[in-house]
Amino acid sequence: AQSVTQLGSHVSVSEGALVLLRCNYSSSVPPYLFWYVQYPNQGLQLLLKYTSAATLVKGINGFEAEFKKSETSFHLTKPSAHMSDAAEYFCAVSPGGATNKLIFGTGTLLAVQP
Amino acid sequence: NAGVTQTPKFQVLKTGQSMTLQCAQDMNHNSMYWYRQDPGMGLRLIYYSASEGTTDKGEVPNGYNVSRLNKREFSLRLESAAPSQTSVYFCASSERGGLSSYNSPLHFGNGTRLTVT
């Protein structure tokens, strides 16, 4: 069965500092991986996705993620945090096949300190 | 530009009461989903509908039923609410399911916050 593990339920960074949110996956087949962001009192929005075209994936708002098969990781990074980045971030894996049933991680709440 | 609309936004029920959560999308998407979000557990799939006229169970279907009324609408019904169903419920849609579904991101509504006392 496929799954994702997000290390760190809460991450706090200073404005302007590097953001690193960790995600490790477990999959018996080449995975499709996603990062979603949830702002307070809103639904989730797609940040970026990995579908095997390129290992370094760029998303919206300056975020990017690198797929590392040897480490089974898909960590999310942003060089310089902004106050508006404060949100909850979810890593997800798609089993593919006949449906689009994403399996989500437990989420990482990012706080950005002034 | 409504996207995915969920009603109601908030609801309080007593144990044993029933209710239906409504979801509608205006993006002509084929697939629709119901998730629940609980602290520390991420999102878990309750039911999904790959296309109009089909529904299937997800990870946590017990205590729920769904209806894909037409291509736009997908409702979630709690027949006899229990405190364990206190959660935030999200409806989502995607353009397609199928083998290329990974290229079809999910679009989420803003959620329904349900409390069962």
Side-chain angles (χ1 to χ4, degrees):
Chain A
Q2 295 183 314
S3 64
V4 289
T5 301
Q6 292 185 242
L7 299 176
S9 58
H10 291 79
V11 170
S12 182
V13 300
S14 299
E15 194 173 18
L18 171 72
V19 175
L20 170 61
L21 304 182
R22 299 177 187 274
C23 174
N24 289 88
Y25 69 90
S26 170
S27 176
S28 58
V29 297
Y32 303 124
L33 294 160
F34 305 80
W35 276 100
Y36 279 80
V37 59
Q38 184 181 30
Y39 298 104
N41 299 315
Q42 293 186 26
L44 281 71
Q45 303 172 36
L46 180 67
L47 262 184
L48 50 81
K49 62 184 180 185
Y50 167 74
T51 58
S52 77
T55 56
L56 182 63
V57 181
K58 294 188 185 299
I60 61 172
N61 300 337
F63 284 92
E64 61 182 37
E66 186 172 9
F67 174 72
K68 291 188 176 180
K69 185 177 178 180
S70 60
E71 299 177 9
T72 61
S73 69
F74 190 56
H75 301 332
L76 182 70
T77 60
K78 181 174 180 178
S80 176
H82 191 272
M83 297 295 289
S84 60
D85 295 326
E88 190 158 21
Y89 292 80
F90 292 90
C91 183
V93 62
S94 172
T99 63
N100 194 9
K101 297 186 294 180
L102 289 186
I103 299 166
F104 286 89
T106 53
T108 298
L109 187 62
L110 175 67
V112 182
Q113 309 298 331
Chain B
N1 239 16
V4 178
T5 302
Q6 292 183 235
T7 54
K9 288 184 170 50
F10 301 93
Q11 184 71 49
V12 179
L13 291 178
K14 291 187 164 96
T15 297
Q17 287 185 318
S18 63
M19 79 160 295
T20 300
L21 281 64
Q22 306 286 353
C23 175
Q25 52 91 8
D26 63 2
M27 296 172 283
N28 202 34
H29 285 173
N30 289 301
S31 302
M32 298 185 74
Y33 314 80
W34 277 105
Y35 284 88
R36 59 177 288 174
Q37 183 180 26
D38 303 291
M41 303 192 74
L43 280 81
R44 293 179 292 169
L45 183 65
I46 305 170
Y47 271 93
Y48 66 98
S49 171
S51 61
E52 185 180 358
T54 69
T55 61
D56 280 291
K57 296 178 181 178
E59 184 184 353
V60 288
N62 291 346
Y64 306 94
N65 284 301
V66 290
S67 295
R68 184 75 184 267
L69 303 170
N70 46 56
K71 191 171 185 179
R72 290 186 65 248
E73 298 173 285
F74 188 40
S75 62
L76 178 72
R77 183 161 178 83
L78 286 70
E79 290 291 350
S80 179
S84 61
Q85 295 177 305
T86 293
S87 187
V88 181
Y89 291 85
F90 286 99
C91 178
S93 69
S94 66
E95 184 177 354
R96 57 186 178 275
L99 295 176
S100 61
S101 62
Y102 62 87
N103 228 4
S104 181
L106 297 184
H107 295 257
F108 284 83
N110 285 340
T112 294
R113 282 157 180 74
L114 176 66
T115 302
V116 183
T117 62

